[in-house]
Amino acid sequence: MNHTVLSNFSLINTFKHFKIIKMNNLYLYKSLMKRNAHLNTLSLQLVFFLVISIYSVSAQQNSTLFRLLPSSESGIDFNNQLFESDTLNILNQANIYNGGGVGIGDFNKDGLMDIYFAANMVSNKLYLNKGNLQFDDITEKAMVNGQGRWCTGVSVVDINADGWMDLYISASFRNDPKLRTNLLYINQGNNEKGIPVFKESAKTYGIADNGFSTQAYFFDYDSDGDLDLDLYQVTNEIYDQRTPIRFRSKLTDGSAKNTDRLYRNNGNSTFTDVSKVAGITIEGWGHAASITDMNSDGWPDIYVTNDFISNDVLYINNKNGTFTNQLGDYFKHTAWNAMGTDVVDINNDGLVDLISLEMLPENNLRKKRMLSGNEYYNYINNEQYNYNHQYVRNVLQLNSGQTPLGHPVFNDISYIAGVYETDWSWCPITADFDNDGFRDLIITNGLPRDVTDLDYITYGSGQTAGAQSFTLAMTDSLPVVKLANYAFMNTNGTGFKNTSKAWGLDHESFSNGGVYTDLDNDGDLDVVINNINDTAFVYENTLNKGNQRLTVSFEGTKANPEGIGASLRVYYNEEQQYYEHYPTRGYLSTHDPRAHFGLGEIRNIDSILINWPDDKKQTILHTSETEITF
């Protein structure tokens, strides 16, 4: 071995010895010189370059907007672990990887937001926020472990208007109806140790729904002023004999098992299924919904994203207790296999816009391996069978405002905005994470096995043709591709910049439900994400200071203490931001119940207008407050 090689070998070993030690560059440089005096000049330059590189990378990592909290620090070790078998795997059960959601709420009324995770095959978990981003697992003491259900969506709501936040958990998947009934955990208040205790009461309230539920949404659909929190339940019934992937005539009479349901609150802590009477009769394989005033007439409408070939549904409120699907009148096309959705004002024009997620990969190789193309016959069949046009990509639908038709028409700007391809996407988390005045976008994505892989479909069809069941071993040929979630910074209202790595959200995972919330009450939004077969992500937002912000809390009527359905307009410097108060949104999840507005450098707000569900209005003029309660 010559001297140069020996020197470099020594350099490598020295570098490995020192690379995990945190110290200033000069001390490390001198230590290396002392131990390796024989290094030549080139090696010394290499050492210095590597040392500087380490600290440059370290500084870059430390300066990311988000910091992933290790479970040893946060106390949150929840893992939505799946246990596959010959009878329970992706080839036998199409929805096995749909995941679980996250729910945010102050369950013990101490001013700190707590976290509830839904699980599929393990226990659900409730973590109590102790402050300083540390949490305690109180699941068993609170009696909210999910009772063996395959739990999906988490709705956090004060359903009985007693001032304590309750939990409504959607359940699915199990063949036994008794094991897939939804759960309603009524908060009984704190015990002597300050821990909230819950009582399961879904049957008592008449909402022990067993229809393969994905997510429930509470709102006042008849705008009767008391807001007794009616319930819209999205379903995804995959065991219907009618195939979800071939064109056929739609079922619109409510006879299909895979039809959503609407429950009317009777005002006495009971609910009645009024789906057919209200016009909720169109089948679909639902993943999510958004409650929103789509046409700005003061009445809440319902947008539902449906998987497979079934179209999305836009139920416009007829103001008489009934709804009519008007999807084709408002949207020129939608996403095909639509998953999570959100409706927010993305460009600050005071009108709600819509994002719906699909499964188009960004990587060209994955596109070629996963997509069979948008064949011409699909386009023709859409017309023949009266389906609305839909495409395999995310859509960002910009609201054009009122038109001569009497309602807005939406235009898809996902290509221009740069957010149309984010792989197997589930949850859009839409909020202003850098407090610059524009709502940003974080997208969870991932599927443990690529069931749409074309090589597998082509070469596996001969082996599996006619098979009645698929063993776990047969799934081994399916590719496993773990990808990072996406983060997009909103640059001007309609343009987005991919900041996944710059913001520190480049950890690979199979992620599903997710939320934004201010866990430490420091004025910036943290992020919590539910993962399959991995510890949940809890990201601390490190922004803290810099851009201004406004946080608004709601105190509604006695029947609606959360003020669900209220809307806010914040005006400043001839600009505005608009917010609708429906915390359950995105995918399987309920976000922080406080409205959050980033303001950039704005310190003084001209006015804030709140419109309550009963159409009462309040106004605040000229304020520089950062926290306001209505």
Side-chain angles (χ1 to χ4, degrees):
M1 183 179 295
N2 62 42
H3 181 73
T4 302
V5 174
L6 178 62
S7 298
N8 289 335
F9 179 81
S10 301
L11 167 63
I12 292 171
N13 280 281
T14 302
F15 183 73
K16 287 172 65 177
H17 176 73
F18 280 91
K19 70 178 180 179
I20 61 172
I21 301 176
K22 292 185 177 179
M23 55 182 65
N24 64 63
N25 295 344
L26 181 61
Y27 180 80
L28 178 57
Y29 182 69
K30 288 182 177 179
S31 299
L32 288 168
M33 288 181 63
K34 183 176 180 180
R35 180 170 176 176
N36 298 277
H38 63 280
L39 292 176
N40 57 31
T41 302
L42 179 60
S43 297
L44 285 174
Q45 291 174 342
L46 180 58
V47 171
F48 189 76
F49 172 76
L50 291 173
V51 169
I52 294 300
S53 297
I54 284 178
Y55 283 92
S56 296
V57 171
S58 177
Q60 185 178 11
Q61 291 174 341
N62 292 334
S63 64
T64 57
L65 181 63
F66 290 98
R67 180 176 76 94
L68 179 60
L69 299 180
S71 58
S72 59
E73 181 178 334
S74 68
I76 295 177
D77 57 0
F78 172 78
N79 183 333
N80 188 20
Q81 188 75 40
L82 298 183
F83 305 95
E84 298 176 81
S85 65
D86 286 346
T87 58
L88 187 63
N89 58 71
I90 185 61
L91 298 180
N92 286 329
Q93 310 286 352
N95 286 348
I96 190 173
Y97 298 142
N98 287 15
V102 185
I104 298 296
D106 182 6
F107 297 108
N108 62 344
K109 298 174 69 171
D110 66 350
L112 295 169
M113 291 298 158
D114 311 306
I115 307 174
Y116 188 84
F117 292 97
N120 304 143
M121 302 182 73
V122 297
S123 169
N124 295 355
K125 290 289 184 180
L126 174 58
Y127 291 92
L128 204 63
N129 192 336
K130 300 188 299 181
N132 298 317
L133 297 174
Q134 296 179 336
F135 298 81
D136 271 342
D137 180 355
I138 61 165
T139 308
E140 296 305 321
K141 295 176 182 177
M143 297 190 292
V144 289
N145 63 13
Q147 299 176 225
R149 306 293 199 275
W150 188 288
C151 295
T152 51
V154 181
S155 302
V156 181
V157 61
D158 184 3
I159 196 170
N160 56 358
D162 65 350
W164 294 87
M165 300 307 294
D166 311 304
L167 285 160
Y168 186 66
I169 311 302
S170 297
S172 186
F173 211 76
R174 305 289 190 191
N175 287 319
D176 186 348
K178 294 180 180 179
L179 293 178
R180 65 168 186 266
T181 54
N182 295 349
L183 301 167
L184 174 61
Y185 289 121
I186 298 294
N187 194 331
Q188 308 296 303
N190 295 339
N191 63 16
E192 65 280 1
K193 295 184 179 180
I195 295 176
V197 179
F198 296 76
K199 180 181 178 181
E200 206 290 305
S201 307
K203 186 175 181 180
T204 301
Y205 276 68
I207 49 177
D209 191 292
N210 62 9
F212 295 88
S213 304
T214 55
Q215 179 71 12
Y217 302 83
F218 290 87
F219 70 120
D220 182 16
Y221 77 89
D222 52 6
S223 293
D224 56 8
D226 58 7
L227 198 97
D228 284 322
L229 292 179
D230 310 299
L231 183 157
Y232 186 87
Q233 180 68 64
V234 177
T235 185
N236 196 316
E237 163 63 273
I238 60 172
Y239 298 105
D240 196 315
Q241 293 181 351
R242 303 175 183 89
T243 176
I245 60 174
R246 291 192 178 92
F247 283 98
R248 57 177 172 77
S249 298
K250 295 180 183 179
L251 292 178
T252 60
D253 60 358
S255 63
K257 293 181 180 179
N258 52 310
T259 303
D260 296 343
R261 292 167 296 283
L262 179 66
Y263 290 88
R264 185 190 64 224
N265 193 323
N266 299 319
N268 59 358
S269 296
T270 65
F271 289 76
T272 299
D273 185 345
V274 295
S275 304
K276 287 190 176 182
V277 175
I280 308 301
T281 59
I282 302 173
E283 67 171 334
W285 282 270
H287 280 305
S290 289
I291 309 299
T292 179
D293 184 1
M294 191 70 77
N295 53 5
S296 302
D297 66 353
W299 292 71
D301 310 303
I302 310 167
Y303 186 95
V304 185
T305 55
N306 283 314
D307 200 350
F308 302 115
I309 204 168
S310 59
N311 280 139
D312 292 357
V313 179
L314 172 59
Y315 284 121
I316 294 297
N317 198 322
N318 296 323
K319 308 178 186 179
N320 60 3
T322 68
F323 294 82
T324 301
N325 179 31
Q326 297 185 33
L327 182 76
D329 297 328
Y330 284 67
F331 296 92
K332 301 169 185 176
H333 63 258
T334 64
W336 191 297
N337 305 285
M339 298 178 194
T341 183
D342 201 2
V343 175
V344 298
D345 179 9
I346 204 72
N347 61 341
N348 293 347
D349 64 351
L351 302 170
V352 294
D353 310 302
L354 181 141
I355 184 167
S356 178
L357 300 183
E358 239 279 357
M359 42 187 280
L360 177 65
E362 178 184 15
N363 179 278
N364 185 57
L365 176 60
R366 283 180 60 74
K367 281 190 178 77
K368 297 297 188 293
R369 294 189 64 172
M370 291 176 62
L371 298 178
S372 57
N374 187 37
E375 291 88 351
Y376 180 66
Y377 69 81
N378 283 339
Y379 190 90
I380 297 301
N381 281 333
N382 279 328
E383 297 285 349
Q384 180 177 344
Y385 288 93
N386 197 30
Y387 282 74
N388 299 90
H389 293 296
Q390 45 191 350
Y391 303 101
V392 180
R393 64 171 184 265
N394 299 342
V395 294
L396 177 57
Q397 308 274 15
L398 202 65
N399 193 327
S400 65
Q402 295 297 327
T403 69
L405 298 173
H407 60 74
V409 175
F410 289 76
N411 299 298
D412 179 16
I413 64 165
S414 58
Y415 275 115
I416 299 172
V419 295
Y420 69 99
E421 49 182 8
T422 54
D423 219 274
W424 205 301
S425 307
W426 296 102
C427 185
I429 309 174
T430 315
D432 190 353
F433 296 106
D434 55 3
N435 285 350
D436 67 348
F438 289 106
R439 289 185 174 93
D440 311 300
L441 178 61
I442 292 174
I443 295 176
T444 69
N445 82 87
L447 198 82
R449 294 185 187 273
D450 282 346
V451 291
T452 61
D453 183 86
L454 298 180
D455 288 339
Y456 178 85
I457 293 172
T458 300
Y459 297 105
S461 59
Q463 303 175 25
T464 60
Q468 298 299 312
S469 62
F470 300 89
T471 65
L472 182 60
M474 295 171 70
T475 70
D476 289 341
S477 300
L478 286 167
V480 177
V481 181
K482 211 172 192 179
L483 301 172
N485 296 321
Y486 281 84
F488 295 96
M489 180 181 71
N490 190 335
T491 58
N492 61 6
T494 57
F496 289 81
K497 178 182 178 182
N498 188 331
T499 52
S500 308
K501 186 174 183 179
W503 280 9
L505 294 176
D506 54 348
H507 303 93
E508 295 180 351
S509 62
F510 302 118
S511 298
N512 302 107
V515 294
Y516 61 76
T517 176
D518 189 353
L519 293 172
D520 49 3
N521 291 338
D522 64 350
D524 51 39
L525 294 176
D526 311 300
V527 173
V528 182
I529 296 173
N530 193 336
N531 297 321
I532 289 179
N533 296 339
D534 265 320
T535 304
F537 289 157
V538 181
Y539 286 103
E540 175 193 7
N541 191 322
T542 64
L543 187 64
N544 294 322
K545 298 179 181 180
N547 289 332
Q548 304 300 306
R549 51 86 181 182
L550 170 67
T551 301
V552 178
S553 300
F554 298 86
E555 291 182 359
T557 62
K558 182 179 180 180
N560 178 23
E562 298 174 80
I564 298 296
S567 61
L568 271 175
R569 294 185 186 274
V570 178
Y571 297 94
Y572 52 90
N573 287 12
E574 298 184 354
E575 298 181 21
Q576 69 168 308
Q577 291 189 45
Y578 179 64
Y579 168 83
E580 289 181 313
H581 188 47
Y582 293 106
T584 302
R585 55 177 64 231
Y587 179 67
L588 306 182
S589 302
T590 301
H591 297 262
D592 196 311
R594 298 166 292 188
H596 178 88
F597 301 89
L599 299 173
E601 298 179 355
I602 301 298
R603 295 182 177 274
N604 297 301
I605 294 172
D606 298 329
S607 62
I608 304 173
L609 173 64
I610 183 168
N611 190 13
W612 293 101
D614 58 5
D615 209 30
K616 292 180 180 178
K617 296 177 173 58
Q618 284 180 263
T619 303
I620 292 180
L621 299 176
H622 308 299
T623 181
S624 59
E625 296 291 329
T626 59
E627 297 183 11
I628 294 177
T629 298
F630 274 97

